[in-house]
């Protein structure tokens, strides 16, 4: 009730696999699912980030890995989030947390970081002194949640990319997506998808 307490003292209405419409193995990924979640009051949304392909012009995608779900471009998801959040009345613009499940390689993480800065603009809350502010202090701000690689991590040195200070999450886990059109639906069978997904 007291929005002047630190954010960690708050109960936050959260969404898991926010981008999915339907079930987790054969569901459809949609950018509008983020808008719907925000309008329903969710203030912690999940973004599962994967490589969109190996060529330089490809950008990260959002999908449920090791399943037969469709994909959306990360840029579309972030844009939908930004537009819906900005359209809320100021009193409802309580801090919004984007929980990143990061599977991207370092070059694609760098693209994703640049995307967040470009699309979210001034709403993006960058780290300051490491203190977790209160919801009152964070009204109208969007926070990224995820593990951060140190700026001197070997992955950055080997990639040739500079390390963004706050927008990087975990090193890649699992296989990257192929260089096919990132918006196409996987042709994997349901049985194969369920086996790889471990029954999730």
């Amino acid at each position: 009730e007291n929005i002047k307490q630190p954010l960690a003292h708050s109960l936050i209405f959260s969404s898991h696999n926010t981008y999915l419409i339907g079930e987790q193995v054969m569901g459809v990924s949609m950018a509008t699912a983020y808008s719907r979640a925000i309008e329903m009051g969710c203030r912690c949304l999940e973004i599962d980030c994967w490589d969109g392909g190996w060529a330089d012009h490809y950008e990260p995608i959002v999908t449920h890995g090791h399943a037969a779900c469709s994909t959306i471009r990360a840029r579309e998801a972030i844009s939908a989030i930004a537009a819906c959040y900005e359209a809320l009345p100021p009193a409802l613009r309580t801090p919004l947390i984007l929980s990143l499940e990061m599977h991207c390689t370092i070059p694609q993480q760098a693209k994703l970081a640049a995307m967040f800065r470009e699309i979210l603009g001034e709403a993006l809350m960058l780290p300051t002194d490491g203190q977790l502010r209160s919801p009152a202090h964070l009204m109208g701000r969007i926070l990224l949640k995820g593990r951060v690689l140190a700026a001197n991590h070997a992955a950055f040195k080997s990639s040739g990319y500079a390390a963004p200070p706050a927008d990087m999450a975990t090193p890649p886990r699992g296989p990257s997506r192929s260089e096919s059109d990132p918006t196409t639906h996987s042709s994997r069978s349901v049985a194969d998808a369920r086996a790889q997904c471990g029954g999730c």
Side-chain angles (χ1 to χ4, degrees):
E1 295 181 358
N2 188 348
I3 63 171
K4 294 184 179 180
Q5 295 293 320
L7 186 62
H9 294 187
S10 303
L11 293 176
I12 302 173
F13 188 13
S14 303
S15 169
H16 176 63
N17 289 344
T18 312
Y19 50 90
L20 280 181
I21 303 295
E23 49 102 7
Q24 294 191 80
V25 176
M26 292 287 291
V28 177
S29 302
M30 298 183 66
T32 53
Y34 286 101
S35 304
R36 185 181 66 172
I38 292 172
E39 291 169 353
M40 291 175 64
C42 289
R43 290 300 179 265
C44 182
L45 313 178
E46 184 177 42
I47 306 178
D48 291 5
C49 308
W50 294 82
D51 282 6
W54 293 108
D56 288 342
H57 64 278
Y58 279 103
E59 292 186 334
I61 58 173
V62 176
T63 189
H64 191 280
H66 308 298
C69 299
S70 63
T71 68
I72 54 175
R73 291 179 172 86
R75 181 176 294 276
E76 295 175 7
I78 300 168
S79 296
I81 291 168
C84 186
Y85 188 66
E86 185 179 353
L88 292 174
L92 297 182
R93 237 175 279 158
T94 49
L96 177 64
I97 300 170
L98 303 183
S99 179
L100 307 182
E101 183 179 305
M102 186 59 63
H103 301 273
C104 291
T105 56
I106 296 300
Q108 294 264 302
Q109 287 187 48
K111 287 186 177 184
L112 195 59
M115 231 178 275
F116 279 118
R117 289 175 179 270
E118 171 196 342
I119 298 171
L120 301 183
E122 293 298 318
L124 179 61
M125 182 69 181
L126 296 175
T128 51
D129 54 7
Q131 297 296 315
L132 192 58
R133 308 298 183 188
S134 68
H137 182 87
L138 296 170
M139 291 293 288
R141 307 304 295 273
I142 299 176
L143 296 81
L144 302 182
K145 178 175 73 74
R147 286 183 289 176
V148 179
L149 289 178
N152 61 353
H153 193 281
F156 291 121
K157 296 177 182 178
S158 61
S159 70
Y161 281 76
D167 309 311
M168 308 300 288
T170 58
R173 301 194 307 269
S176 300
R177 307 291 286 189
S178 68
E179 197 177 330
S180 59
D181 182 351
T183 61
T184 57
H185 195 283
S186 171
S187 59
R188 215 177 305 173
S189 69
V190 178
D192 182 43
R194 288 190 185 277
Q196 291 206 35
C197 193
C200 60

